[in-house]
Amino acid sequence: EPEVTQTPSHQVTQMGQEVILRCVPISNHLYFYWYRQILGQKVEFLVSFYNNEISEKSEIFDDQFSVERPDGSNFTLKIRSTKLEDSAMYFCASSGIGTSYEQYFGPGTRLTVT
Amino acid sequence: AQKVTQAQTEISVVEKEDVTLDCVYETRDTTYYLFWYKQPPSGELVFLIRRNSFDEQNEISGRYSWNFQKSTSSFNFTITASQVVDSAVYFCALSEEPGGSEKLVFGKGTKLTVNP
């Protein structure tokens, strides 16, 4: 069964450093998403991406964040200068058109900013 | 604005008990989708069900059943004969943008603990 994959599973970085979280969505999907979940809290939408551009972004997704689909398979989230409050689990998701619009989530990347 | 409320923060039951997880939503749209996801201790999000706003039929899948009532804006989830493996955090979610980019708005989740 196709699945969304994410790397790394855990990333530790120092405050102020840049991090790139990587995702490989399901191959025939067209919509891509990033969500984050601060430990013990709810899952929050960050950004959606379609046709090589951002469809929608939340207030959390400020200038420190960017997304990119550098090739036909990867979807990345970059945080330019990490803050302590960026520590969270980051989930990538993808969905297709003409199917059931279910968003399939990856296993997540736990980001720890020290 | 869209909002999902899961009033039950934590529920603890003994194995084989039935348990219902409540979900109440707010939306201005007449067309929307409701979802339930399971997050086991390992942390991944597992899709359980999607229901569109025009389909109010209750759904049953094995020990799981869902009760969608538009009149009360609720989409409750019942686990029958609970098992220890059902222990997880369960999230209800809402999307107002069917047919394309669907931003999911999640509730805060209900942590279910099933004790042997």
Side-chain angles (χ1 to χ4, degrees), chain A residues 32-51:
Chain A
F32 314 111
Y33 311 83
W34 283 102
Y35 292 83
R36 87 170 179 194
Q37 183 183 29
I38 294 171
L39 186 63
Q41 299 188 23
K42 68 177 178 181
V43 180
E44 300 174 290
F45 168 79
L46 291 178
V47 65
S48 59
F49 191 86
Y50 170 71
N51 200 25

Side-chain angles (χ1 to χ4, degrees), chain A residues 43-77:
Chain A
V43 180
E44 300 174 290
F45 168 79
L46 291 178
V47 65
S48 59
F49 191 86
Y50 170 71
N51 200 25
N52 287 319
E53 60 183 25
I54 291 174
S55 307
E56 185 174 358
K57 58 183 181 179
S58 72
E59 293 176 353
I60 303 168
F61 195 88
D62 61 22
D63 292 345
Q64 293 299 312
F65 291 87
S66 63
V67 290
E68 194 177 33
R69 188 157 162 81
D71 52 41
S73 59
N74 290 286
F75 180 50
T76 61
L77 174 69

